[in-house]
Amino acid sequence: MYSLHEGSGLFLLAVLAGLQIAVEGRGTPPCRPGFSEDVYEVAVPEMTEKGQLLVNVRFLDCGRGGLVRFECSNPSDFRIEADGGVYAARSIRLSTLPASLLLIKASDTTSQQQWVTQVRLTPSTQGGGVPPVISKDLREIAFPSRNTDSQLKRMKRDWVIPPINVPENSRGPFPQELVRIRSDHDKNRSLRYSVTGPGADQPPTGIFIIDPISGELSVNKPLDREHISSFHLRAHAVDLNGNQVENPIDIVINVIDMNDNRPEFTHQIWNGTVPEGSKPGTFVMTVTSVDKDDPKTANGMLRYKILSQNPESPTSNMFTINNKTGGIITVAAGLDREKVPQYTLIIQATDMEGNPMYGLSNTATAVIRVTDINDNPPEFTAETFFGEVPENRVNVIVANLTVTDKDQPNTPAWNAVYKITGGDPTGRFSVPTDPTTNEGLVTVVKPIDYEISRTYVLTVEARNEVPLARGIHSPRQSTATVSIRVIDVNESPYFEPNPKLIKLEEGVLPESALTTFTAQDPDRFMQQTIRYSKLSDPANWLRIDPSTGRITTIAILDRESPYVKNSLYNATFLASDSGVPPASGTGTLQIYLLDINDNAPRVFPQEAEICEKPEPNAINITALDGDLNPNAGPFAFELSYRPATVRRNWTITRISGDYAQMSLKIGFLESGIYEVPIIITDSGNLPMSNTSYLRIKVCQCDINGDCTDQQHIMAAGLGTGAIISILLCIIILLILVLMFVVWMKRRDKERQAKQLLIDPEDDVRDNILKYDEEGGGEEDQDYDLSQLQQPDTIEHDAIKPVGIRRLDERPLHPEPQYPMRSAAPHPGDIGDFINEGLKAADNDPTAPPYDSLLVFDYEGSGSTAGSLSSLNSSSSGGDQDYDYLNDWGPRFRKLADMYGGSDD
């Protein structure tokens, strides 16, 4: 709705399809409810598809707020929505309609008032789609002219401009005219028209254009409703100077939907489940599909149906689908997972409200898995199961119970639970389930006695973890019998009672009979004898008769023994039968020893300190007694009469029945350590007395009563254990020092022995001589080595004999002659040479009286090179020319200068 005020020029607007309303006038006329037009002229194609929008009729309710209901005179061919939109109810041909005039009635449900308008349908040259909005004869809408007299008067005009409907995917030709905009000012002067907004001068630009002179607004390309569903433009009129001559007009262009998109399922494969045995009408799942077309039109209205079902068992129509919502439900009974575990449905979605001729379709797959319910009870594979078990064995599997169940394995409807319903009143058996095989494991949980029962017959029932489905009952095969035979074994004898408690006074003399401790043999059907022996007797006080079990003492029983705890002494005995293999059992004899007064009291503490002067001086003492009350305290404390100095120097005062106080009786007592005898008497029947010595150190004290002299440190001296530890540490330290000294001396002797065995002057083995001269290279080595060799014709007696010597030898007599070797000895003679040398060394008078190292430096009978002194040389060097030595390199140049030089 637009309001034009004074000063506005006349503005004309023509809209395709004739949907236009102009409300004008001076002032505000009263509002009257009713249709905006008495007659609507609508151009429609010859062939109209179902769901195609024909026209929008506008109803003005003037703010009444009542509910208005629309009715159509031809409901079989047309339908009208609550927003006034008139649609084709089916695919119709205009020429076949009985009448081209359609009546639309509006009824107020509150006041029962009615209004009627007409819709005249005229054939259109367009091939289909929506009512055409393009025409060469564009009608114009003139703005009411304003008053031009001298007095300015306010003028209010209201405009209702319907939207312009343009179908999407138009094939052209382009541009296509939509509407003509014209102002009455173009009669007097030239105007220029323009449009602004998205689709014109804003992105996406170039979709709509306007002829600036004629004002014809055109669309320049096909539109896509799924991309942009509507455009909002503003039309402008200006003169040649650019001055605005009219107020801008808003233009709304709606893109009319065409059926150009197929339905698309959100999933190509849908998975659902339904319990077996479900009743008809059980909900399974919902499939959904979307269509990009306008859902308010038939183009986006989808319908679903089931095309096929696989397998078609027990019927081909086990399921149905809600054609609007896509909900799948069961329509037939007979779902049985054990027969058909899964169904596959092909679902089709079609737009145009499912019209198979004009609608577009798509398919998807729905996989429905039939879930298991407990409709098959477990059944035993046999009526009776057998097993056997030795007596007194627990946690032993006696028998395995097997069952069959047609339900899905490893589910609560398949897992078996076993229960013993008879034959086990004492609860000696249980039947747990093997989680892998689903078998029942008959297990002994309490000992079984062969002497009590030799066989057991159990009744076992098998069920599932979840109850059976309604109407299904457990068959006879769900119950079985288990027969168990008990095997007799040799059982251990047992003492009764165990432990056995006896009470007697301590101090029982040896060879006194205490009691008879016997065992019973549970094997009543075996003739066996029992022998007794002692297993544990910590104090070695007791003896048991092997045949009768009679227990006697072999030592005095002492309650104060460390083996007695809380007056109780424990001894363990063993009873063994004569079975094969033999069995044995143990029994404990507990002897409660009653106390007698057999321990004298002694003073505590045994050491104390006191100052030289009586004030402040006091020592609190008590007594220790191994006996129990009344054979212990209260105690009587008394100083001994000997020596006489005890009562002269000390005094004792009783504090209580168990405590007394020692103090100096004289004014001063010299520092030192005193042994004070104290007579202590207990309170037992026939009291016992004992003289204990209290070791008191008398010392000088400060004002606080603490010892201050050095003797205080000694008084708190070390005990015997500490002194022994210190002495051991000192002895170990001395031993370590002595071992170190011996080791050092031994190492020095070894060094001296090595020096005796190897003389540095005589040891020429494997020595490295360093000359610090590398020579001049290969040219320095061009000399004749034959001069260093000795001919083989030299006699052996001219060569010094080869022998064996000691490295530590210092010869005092001529060296003995060792055996000679030939000039070229055979390698096999080396052993003979060593043996001969060893004999010679043993007979050597110069040998030391200890073992020493023998050096076998045998290298053959002689050297073919001989001695360097054998080289032939002239008696005088003056007759030989030594200048050739200069050619041998720098090392021989010095020799050349020495021997071949001139007298200078």
Side-chain angles (χ1 to χ4, degrees):
M1 181 177 291
Y2 299 89
S3 175
L4 301 180
H5 304 281
E6 291 182 355
S8 301
L10 183 60
F11 198 34
L12 300 180
L13 175 66
V15 182
L16 182 65
L19 301 180
Q20 50 189 345
I21 302 173
V23 180
E24 61 179 325
R26 300 176 183 271
T28 304
C31 180
R32 294 180 180 179
F35 289 99
S36 60
E37 296 287 344
D38 292 334
V39 178
Y40 291 89
E41 297 286 344
V42 180
V44 297
E46 174 66 19
M47 192 66 188
T48 304
E49 297 179 355
K50 179 181 179 181
Q52 184 173 336
L53 176 66
L54 302 179
V55 67
N56 277 311
V57 295
R58 185 167 182 269
F59 183 82
L60 303 177
D61 60 355
C62 299
R64 293 164 55 90
L67 180 61
V68 177
R69 184 169 58 88
F70 297 98
E71 296 180 5
C72 176
S73 61
N74 189 3
S76 61
D77 296 330
F78 304 95
R79 61 181 174 85
I80 183 170
E81 299 291 343
D83 59 351
V86 180
Y87 297 88
R90 63 181 180 86
S91 297
I92 56 178
R93 185 182 297 274
L94 185 62
S95 59
T96 61
L97 292 176
S100 60
L101 186 64
L102 186 65
L103 299 180
I104 304 298
K105 181 176 67 174
S107 301
D108 191 335
T109 57
T110 303
S111 62
Q112 303 299 324
Q113 189 176 0
Q114 297 182 351
W115 298 268
V116 179
T117 186
Q118 298 179 2
V119 178
R120 182 175 289 109
L121 304 177
T122 59
S124 173
T125 60
Q126 301 294 325
V130 297
V133 294
I134 302 174
S135 176
K136 293 300 182 180
D137 299 329
L138 299 180
R139 292 184 297 176
E140 299 176 355
I141 299 178
F143 284 76
S145 60
R146 58 185 178 87
N147 211 344
T148 57
D149 53 4
S150 57
Q151 289 184 347
L152 296 178
K153 296 182 180 179
R154 179 171 180 171
M155 192 169 55
K156 181 178 181 180
R157 301 187 181 114
D158 295 334
W159 285 78
V160 178
I161 303 177
I164 302 173
N165 297 326
V166 180
E168 65 172 337
N169 303 325
S170 176
R171 298 183 179 180
F174 296 101
Q176 291 181 348
E177 295 83 358
L178 301 179
V179 69
R180 179 179 297 132
I181 302 173
R182 192 177 66 83
S183 172
D184 59 352
H185 289 283
D186 62 356
K187 299 178 181 179
N188 303 326
R189 48 183 170 172
S190 298
L191 301 180
R192 295 295 181 265
Y193 301 96
S194 63
V195 290
T196 59
D201 61 341
Q202 299 178 17
T205 59
I207 296 179
F208 300 98
I209 58 176
I210 189 171
D211 189 311
I213 298 176
S214 64
E216 291 183 357
L217 178 65
S218 305
V219 59
N220 203 30
K221 60 180 66 174
L223 303 180
D224 187 1
R225 190 203 67 84
E226 287 72 35
H227 183 219
I228 301 177
S229 60
S230 64
F231 296 87
H232 295 267
L233 304 179
R234 174 163 288 193
H236 306 270
V238 297
D239 58 15
L240 296 180
N241 296 325
N243 298 320
Q244 178 177 324
V245 296
E246 298 286 356
N247 290 330
I249 295 178
D250 291 328
I251 301 175
V252 178
I253 301 175
N254 290 332
V255 182
I256 303 303
D257 182 45
M258 304 293 290
N259 191 18
D260 57 344
N261 291 278
R262 289 182 178 273
E264 296 290 341
F265 283 92
T266 56
H267 300 286
Q268 195 59 33
I269 298 178
W270 297 79
N271 294 296
T273 59
V274 60
E276 63 176 333
S278 297
K279 296 180 180 180
T282 302
F283 175 78
V284 180
M285 60 190 300
T286 300
V287 297
T288 57
S289 178
V290 294
D291 196 319
K292 296 180 180 179
D293 292 327
D294 189 359
K296 297 181 180 179
T297 65
N299 299 332
M301 296 181 181
L302 306 181
R303 297 295 182 265
Y304 300 91
K305 72 176 181 177
I306 298 175
L307 296 182
S308 65
Q309 170 191 309
N310 185 33
E312 297 180 353
S313 175
T315 65
S316 59
N317 297 318
M318 294 296 296
F319 304 92
T320 187
I321 188 171
N322 188 307
N323 64 345
K324 292 184 179 181
T325 64
I328 301 176
I329 61 175
T330 61
V331 294
L335 291 175
D336 191 348
R337 187 203 64 84
E338 287 74 31
K339 295 180 179 179
V340 181
Q342 180 175 292
Y343 289 90
T344 301
L345 307 180
I346 303 300
I347 309 299
Q348 182 186 62
T350 306
D351 58 14
M352 298 298 293
E353 295 182 302
N355 190 322
M357 181 177 298
Y358 303 104
L360 301 177
S361 301
N362 212 336
T363 60
T365 302
V367 178
I368 301 175
R369 183 171 56 89
V370 181
T371 59
D372 187 38
I373 63 173
N374 193 13
D375 57 345
N376 293 281
E379 298 180 1
F380 285 100
T381 58
E383 293 183 1
T384 305
F385 295 87
F386 299 92
E388 60 182 18
V389 59
E391 63 174 332
N392 300 321
R393 296 282 300 275
V394 294
N395 299 324
V396 177
I397 298 177
V398 179
N400 289 28
L401 310 182
T402 56
V403 296
T404 59
D405 196 320
K406 297 179 181 180
D407 291 322
Q408 185 174 358
N410 301 315
T411 61
W414 179 83
N415 296 334
V417 178
Y418 300 90
K419 181 181 179 181
I420 299 175
T421 59
D424 185 25
T426 57
R428 299 185 181 275
F429 299 91
S430 69
V431 189
T433 304
D434 188 324
T436 303
T437 63
N438 208 30
E439 295 180 350
L441 308 178
V442 181
T443 307
V444 181
V445 295
K446 292 182 181 180
I448 300 175
D449 193 352
Y450 175 84
E451 285 70 27
I452 297 178
S453 178
R454 300 183 184 184
T455 58
Y456 288 87
V457 179
L458 308 180
T459 302
V460 181
E461 181 184 10
R463 297 181 179 180
N464 293 121
E465 293 181 353
V466 295
L468 291 172
R470 180 179 298 178
I472 299 177
H473 304 282
S474 297
R476 182 179 59 84
Q477 291 80 3
S478 296
T479 302
T481 301
V482 183
S483 178
I484 302 173
R485 184 175 66 90
V486 183
I487 302 174
D488 189 18
V489 297
N490 186 23
E491 300 178 77
S492 301
Y494 63 92
F495 288 89
E496 186 67 28
N498 189 15
K500 183 176 182 180
L501 177 65
I502 61 174
K503 294 182 179 181
L504 49 89
E505 287 187 351
E506 63 174 331
V508 176
L509 298 178
E511 301 301 331
S512 299
L514 299 183
T515 185
T516 299
F517 197 22
T518 58
Q520 304 296 326
D521 191 348
D523 297 316
R524 294 178 298 172
F525 303 99
M526 298 182 183
Q527 300 298 327
Q528 299 179 141
T529 60
I530 299 178
R531 302 286 294 179
Y532 302 95
S533 60
K534 185 171 62 174
L535 187 62
S536 173
D537 184 13
N540 198 23
W541 288 343
L542 306 176
R543 178 176 60 239
I544 187 169
D545 187 280
S547 301
T548 63
R550 185 169 179 268
I551 299 176
T552 58
T553 61
I554 58 176
I556 298 177
L557 306 185
D558 185 9
R559 194 199 64 84
E560 288 74 34
S561 171
Y563 301 105
V564 178
K565 305 297 181 184
N566 298 324
S567 301
L568 204 63
Y569 179 76
N570 294 321
T572 305
F573 298 93
L574 183 68
S576 303
D577 61 20
S578 57
V580 179
S584 60
T586 61
T588 301
L589 179 64
Q590 294 182 335
I591 304 176
Y592 188 85
L593 297 175
L594 302 175
D595 185 39
I596 63 174
N597 193 15
D598 57 346
N599 291 278
R602 61 186 183 277
V603 69
F604 182 83
Q606 297 179 351
E607 296 181 356
E609 290 183 356
I610 196 170
C611 297
E612 295 176 336
K613 297 181 179 181
E615 296 298 335
N617 275 323
I619 301 174
N620 293 332
I621 61 174
T622 184
L624 299 180
D625 195 326
D627 296 324
L628 300 177
N629 291 329
N631 295 321
F635 302 101
F637 299 91
E638 176 181 20
L639 292 176
S640 177
Y641 289 92
R642 296 185 179 216
T645 55
V646 173
R647 287 182 171 266
R648 183 173 63 248
N649 298 336
W650 304 93
T651 182
I652 187 168
T653 304
R654 181 171 180 175
I655 300 177
S656 63
D658 295 332
Y659 292 91
Q661 191 176 73
M662 285 282 297
S663 60
L664 281 174
K665 189 175 182 181
I666 60 178
F668 175 80
L669 184 62
E670 185 178 356
S671 298
I673 297 176
Y674 299 86
E675 298 285 344
V676 180
I678 302 175
I679 302 173
I680 305 177
T681 305
D682 60 22
S683 300
N685 189 7
L686 298 178
M688 294 191 67
S689 298
N690 181 35
T691 301
S692 297
Y693 288 88
L694 177 62
R695 191 168 182 265
I696 301 177
K697 177 184 178 297
V698 180
C699 60
Q700 298 179 0
C701 300
D702 55 13
I703 58 176
N704 297 323
D706 299 326
C707 290
T708 57
D709 54 1
Q710 295 297 327
Q711 295 180 356
H712 175 73
I713 299 176
M714 296 180 62
L718 300 175
T720 303
I723 295 175
I724 293 175
S725 300
I726 294 174
L727 291 178
L728 288 176
C729 293
I730 295 174
I731 292 172
I732 293 173
L733 183 61
L734 292 176
I735 291 174
L736 293 176
V737 173
L738 181 60
M739 292 175 62
F740 179 74
V741 172
V742 172
W743 177 76
M744 292 295 292
K745 290 184 177 182
R746 184 179 181 86
R747 191 176 66 169
D748 293 340
K749 289 182 179 180
E750 290 178 354
R751 289 181 179 177
Q752 293 176 4
K754 289 182 179 180
Q755 292 177 359
L756 293 175
L757 293 175
I758 302 175
D759 193 336
E761 296 179 357
D762 297 336
D763 187 11
V764 294
R765 296 172 299 166
D766 298 335
N767 286 335
I768 299 176
L769 302 179
K770 182 177 181 184
Y771 290 95
D772 294 335
E773 179 60 52
E774 298 180 357
E778 294 180 357
E779 64 275 5
D780 294 344
Q781 302 177 8
D782 188 13
Y783 46 82
D784 188 6
L785 296 178
S786 61
Q787 300 297 327
L788 300 177
Q789 298 177 353
Q790 184 179 6
D792 296 335
T793 57
I794 299 178
E795 296 179 0
H796 295 289
D797 56 356
I799 302 173
K800 184 179 180 180
V802 178
I804 301 174
R805 64 183 177 83
R806 301 177 186 274
L807 292 181
D808 56 351
E809 178 183 332
R810 294 297 182 265
L812 301 177
H813 306 283
E815 182 176 353
Q817 295 298 322
Y818 288 96
M820 300 295 294
R821 300 295 295 175
S822 62
H826 190 274
D829 298 336
I830 298 300
D832 297 336
F833 167 74
I834 294 176
N835 292 330
E836 293 173 2
L838 182 60
K839 293 178 181 179
D842 292 339
N843 298 325
D844 186 3
T846 64
Y850 52 84
D851 293 338
S852 61
L853 181 64
L854 297 180
V855 180
F856 292 83
D857 52 359
Y858 170 72
E859 297 180 357
S861 60
S863 174
T864 58
S867 175
L868 292 177
S869 62
S870 64
L871 295 175
N872 294 327
S873 61
S874 59
S875 61
S876 175
D879 298 337
Q880 189 172 356
D881 185 10
Y882 294 98
D883 293 337
Y884 66 88
L885 295 176
N886 292 324
D887 299 332
W888 286 11
R891 292 189 294 178
F892 295 91
R893 189 173 294 114
K894 186 62 175 177
L895 293 175
D897 293 341
M898 293 174 60
Y899 291 94
S902 61
D903 296 339
D904 297 336

